[in-house]
Amino acid sequence: MKTVAFYTLGCKVNQYDSEAMLDEFIKEGFTELEADKKADVYVINTCVVTNTGERKSLQMVRRCRKINPEAFIIIAGCLAQREADNLLNKGADLVIGNSRRKDIVKLYKKALMQKQGLSAVESIKKADFEPLSVENYSHKTRAILKIQEGCDRFCTYCIIPYVRGGIRSRKLQSIIKESSNFIAQGYKEIVLTGIHLSSYGKDLKDLSLIDAIRAAAQDGLYRLRLGSLEPVAITEEFVKSLSQIPSICPQFHLSLQSGSDSVLKRMGRRYSTEEFKNAVALLRKYFKDPAITTDIICGFPGETEEEHMQSLEFVKEIQFAKVHVFPYSRRSGTKAAAMPEQIKKEIKNSRAHDMIKIGEYSQQKYAESFLNKTMPVLYEEEYKDGAAGYTDNYLRVETIGAKPNSILNTRLVSYNNGVFIGRLE
């Protein structure tokens, strides 16, 4: 029996794409192995958001070849879309971009027959939404459901629109079908994801994100969690509608990127800090103590010390539940890469360190506000003499005596290093 191993870098969209490609191999009779095992086929689903993601993608090619020199290596995803021919010279037997993942097994067989490297990367400028689907996740409590692909924002620092193409939205009937399938299989939480989730429906007549959310929120679903949202999508009508969907998790990721209006303008972001603040206020108006999380880029080209301080102060003011911090990563082909006044690496790292400290303090403060409260926890994995899982607002809890794939009322008795110790009630 042939074996396949997947290694996935980057976002939740990539995780979904990998699961969909894995499904195609499983249907063909392959057995899945961990990425560090000796497999017949390795699929590396790549990321190009940062230099680190790109470097790790190439490192994994070398690692897989070392584990099994005779293995067939497939490179898929964003790096494949960007550098197809180059990757064939770096050890790949098959390169698949972001439009033919459904055909992965068919293309694998074709490459085997012709006994030479095959590039299956096509232009995605006018691509339709690719009909990927996932039959089963190995993770038995939470499933990712991809409803949107592509982006047309062209923020000055971001390479994603070039490698993912324009906005494509999944049809409502397809969303309903996959959500219902997950619920029937016993999944208790679904995470809706997309490259630019807030743009859902832009290419479909009279549809918007709230329609897709309602389609996914089928009867029997315990939790529905949303991926990253744009601040300008957070209108009162949208948030009020969200609050009327019982399964919606009160955890919202609003991508900020900078707390300085002048930096936001250079980034090509289409909102101000005031608009961001208003979006947060709306979420806090309709949801009790929601977790508001975000991303911040430090050291964007031309960022002054004053702008850095503005960003720090804004992040302090909002009081996020979690802040993901990234030093600016220069991406060839973007407008920001050609901007003057590129910030030195040591300054970017120093500013990122400042921001991380603010984020950690904010996270600690938010988490500690839930100490000694009893909350339902969806336990997902075995941990020591019990299980670990998450509250609806994404607080991690580890509890002795808990069982995976169960929902249990748990008192949050102590908190340390981002984790609660729970006690079953």
Side-chain angles (χ1 to χ4, degrees):
M1 187 175 287
K2 288 207 166 186
T3 55
V4 62
F6 274 73
Y7 186 82
T8 305
L9 294 104
C11 61
K12 280 188 169 61
V13 176
N14 258 15
Q15 292 174 33
Y16 180 91
D17 294 341
S18 287
E19 292 285 350
M21 289 187 284
L22 172 60
D23 257 14
E24 297 301 317
F25 277 101
I26 298 298
K27 288 173 191 171
E28 197 67 22
F30 278 72
T31 298
E32 184 190 10
L33 296 180
E34 296 295 322
D36 60 349
K37 305 299 182 186
K38 187 177 180 180
D40 297 305
V41 178
Y42 293 97
V43 182
I44 302 157
N45 199 3
T46 59
C47 176
V48 294
V49 170
T50 65
N51 288 318
T52 301
E54 192 167 322
R55 188 176 67 251
K56 283 183 178 178
S57 298
L58 294 173
Q59 285 174 345
M60 198 59 200
V61 175
R62 294 190 290 271
R63 190 183 308 170
C64 292
R65 188 63 76 197
K66 189 174 181 181
I67 295 170
N68 182 7
E70 304 302 316
F72 189 98
I73 294 181
I74 301 172
I75 300 181
C78 293
L79 183 60
Q81 186 68 40
R82 190 181 183 194
E83 295 188 27
D85 294 337
N86 188 33
L87 293 173
L88 287 175
N89 297 326
K90 291 193 174 181
D93 298 298
L94 170 62
V95 182
I96 301 176
N98 285 324
S99 63
R100 295 195 64 188
R101 292 159 296 200
K102 184 76 175 172
D103 299 328
I104 188 167
V105 174
K106 191 187 300 181
L107 292 166
Y108 157 69
K109 289 179 178 179
K110 183 178 178 181
L112 278 180
M113 283 182 63
Q114 66 183 34
K115 297 181 180 178
Q116 65 181 45
L118 174 64
S119 171
V121 177
E122 299 175 351
S123 171
I124 51 172
K125 285 185 179 179
K126 295 183 179 179
D128 294 325
F129 187 88
E130 191 178 9
L132 296 172
S133 62
V134 177
E135 298 278 334
N136 287 287
Y137 275 94
S138 49
H139 198 295
K140 256 307 185 186
T141 53
R142 182 190 299 148
I144 299 169
L145 203 170
K146 175 181 168 183
I147 65 167
Q148 188 274 337
E149 177 69 271
C151 182
D152 65 357
R153 303 283 94 176
F154 288 94
C155 298
T156 59
Y157 56 84
C158 187
I159 196 70
I160 292 302
Y162 302 96
V163 294
R164 285 279 183 175
I167 289 163
R168 289 98 78 199
S169 304
R170 190 170 187 167
K171 301 288 176 61
L172 288 186
Q173 278 306 118
S174 178
I175 295 172
I176 292 168
K177 182 180 177 181
E178 188 152 275
S179 174
S180 299
N181 178 50
F182 288 147
I183 294 165
Q185 291 182 57
Y187 293 97
K188 294 177 172 62
E189 179 175 313
I190 291 174
V191 183
L192 287 192
T193 192
I195 293 298
H196 195 261
L197 200 60
S198 300
S199 290
Y200 177 89
K202 229 177 149 180
D203 56 328
L204 301 175
K205 189 177 180 182
D206 299 325
L207 287 179
S208 66
L209 179 57
I210 195 66
D211 298 303
I213 293 169
R214 288 175 179 141
Q218 295 295 299
D219 290 344
L221 178 62
Y222 179 62
R223 285 182 184 170
L224 183 62
R225 198 177 296 279
L226 303 182
S228 181
L229 299 171
E230 282 285 302
V232 291
I234 308 299
T235 64
E236 182 134 20
E237 181 184 3
F238 175 75
V239 180
K240 186 177 181 180
S241 298
L242 268 190
S243 69
Q244 294 166 353
I245 300 172
S247 56
I248 284 290
C249 290
Q251 181 233 334
F252 304 100
H253 188 87
L254 300 187
S255 189
L256 175 59
Q257 305 303 358
S258 176
S260 164
D261 283 319
S262 49
V263 174
L264 287 175
K265 190 172 181 180
R266 293 201 301 278
M267 286 179 166
R269 303 295 285 176
R270 304 184 190 188
Y271 53 84
S272 64
T273 53
E274 190 63 28
E275 288 171 312
F276 189 98
K277 194 188 301 184
N278 291 339
V280 172
L282 278 172
L283 290 168
R284 287 174 174 161
K285 174 182 174 181
Y286 284 92
F287 291 89
K288 181 175 170 56
D289 301 323
I292 311 293
T293 61
T294 200
D295 301 314
I296 299 285
I297 295 172
C298 293
F300 187 76
E303 183 184 64
T304 64
E305 189 64 29
E306 182 183 0
E307 289 170 330
H308 172 57
M309 294 305 296
Q310 289 170 354
S311 202
L312 289 175
E313 289 304 315
F314 188 75
V315 170
K316 279 183 191 175
E317 181 184 355
I318 296 296
Q319 298 181 359
F320 291 101
K322 191 173 181 64
V323 181
H324 302 271
V325 181
F326 305 90
Y328 166 71
S329 187
R330 194 173 189 175
R331 304 275 68 202
S332 176
T334 63
K335 289 183 179 179
M339 286 181 179
E341 299 182 69
Q342 297 286 327
I343 307 295
K344 291 181 179 177
K345 182 179 179 180
E346 55 268 27
I347 296 175
K348 288 192 289 187
N349 290 341
S350 173
R351 290 178 180 174
H353 178 73
D354 293 343
M355 189 63 74
I356 287 168
K357 283 171 66 179
I358 298 292
E360 287 174 345
Y361 175 78
S362 183
Q363 180 178 349
Q364 179 96 2
K365 194 173 177 183
Y366 177 77
E368 287 180 348
S369 70
F370 292 89
L371 270 173
N372 294 314
K373 291 186 178 180
T374 297
M375 301 179 74
V377 176
L378 173 54
Y379 288 97
E380 302 182 20
E381 60 192 70
E382 289 185 1
Y383 183 81
K384 294 184 178 177
D385 297 323
Y390 292 87
T391 61
D392 59 358
N393 57 342
Y394 214 65
L395 301 172
R396 183 175 172 86
V397 184
E398 297 170 355
T399 304
I400 292 173
K403 301 290 185 186
N405 204 26
S406 61
I407 303 160
L408 301 169
N409 285 332
T410 307
R411 183 172 288 275
L412 310 184
V413 295
S414 65
Y415 177 79
N416 188 41
N417 287 331
V419 179
F420 280 94
I421 299 301
R423 185 179 69 225
L424 296 180
E425 292 284 88

